[in-house]
Amino acid sequence: MPDLTELLKQREALAATRYGGVASYRDANGERVDYQDAASIARSLAALDSEIAALQRKRLSIVKIQSSKGIL
């Protein structure tokens, strides 16, 4: 899975492609992706946004364990 900085670069390039009116995009691996319409580019942007949001979420770093022998 790509890291956050790579995903942000891909999103920036894809957004520039969309707003520039171009229907093709060359990804980080050098592969060319041709889009049928603006809606398919929007779906790709939404997928990238969800992956970026998942990577930016903070993870729980503190776990509190409380145990008892059943005697009060």
Side-chain angles (χ1 to χ4, degrees):
M1 181 171 190
D3 64 346
L4 182 59
T5 56
E6 186 176 328
L7 287 175
L8 290 171
K9 286 179 187 177
Q10 287 179 5
R11 192 201 184 291
E12 182 179 331
L14 186 57
T17 299
R18 179 182 184 192
Y19 298 124
V22 180
S24 65
Y25 163 73
R26 191 166 301 276
D27 68 4
N29 297 330
E31 298 173 357
R32 182 180 169 146
V33 179
D34 293 317
Y35 292 97
Q36 301 297 324
D37 55 6
S40 62
I41 295 175
R43 286 190 298 271
S44 296
L45 281 171
L48 278 172
D49 287 339
S50 67
E51 288 183 36
I52 290 169
L55 287 175
Q56 288 178 334
R57 277 191 213 118
K58 290 187 176 182
R59 296 181 182 181
L60 182 62
S61 60
I62 299 174
V63 177
K64 182 177 178 182
I65 300 174
Q66 183 176 4
S67 63
S68 168
K69 291 184 179 182
I71 303 171
L72 295 173

